[in-house]
Amino acid sequence: MIVDVITLPLLWLGLIFNIDGRIHLSDAVIGVVAGYLILWSICWLFKIWKGKEGIWAMAILN
């Protein structure tokens, strides 16, 4: 899915920035999962609604 191109690098980037322990690891992982599922859900609902994959502006306008 196209959403993975955005979320997977940001997922790891967020966990790497948390190495210093400002936030508990469990809270960081919950945030990663929640953020991924929100974007994945938007992409999935759009695919059901429009019949094509994509959450970009051009995909929505077509």
Side-chain angles (χ1 to χ4, degrees):
M1 287 183 119
I2 199 162
V3 73
D4 292 338
V5 174
I6 298 169
T7 55
L8 293 180
L10 290 176
L11 174 149
W12 290 109
L13 189 64
L15 288 176
I16 288 169
F17 278 132
N18 190 48
I19 285 178
D20 64 356
R22 288 181 283 176
I23 300 173
H24 292 296
L25 181 60
S26 62
D27 291 336
V29 171
I30 289 169
V32 163
V33 170
Y36 181 84
L37 288 177
I38 288 169
L39 289 176
W40 181 84
S41 297
I42 291 169
C43 187
W44 181 74
L45 289 171
F46 180 82
K47 188 172 183 178
I48 289 174
W49 177 48
K50 292 292 255 184
K52 59 183 174 181
E53 193 172 303
I55 59 173
W56 307 109
M58 291 309 294
I60 293 171
L61 294 175
N62 289 332

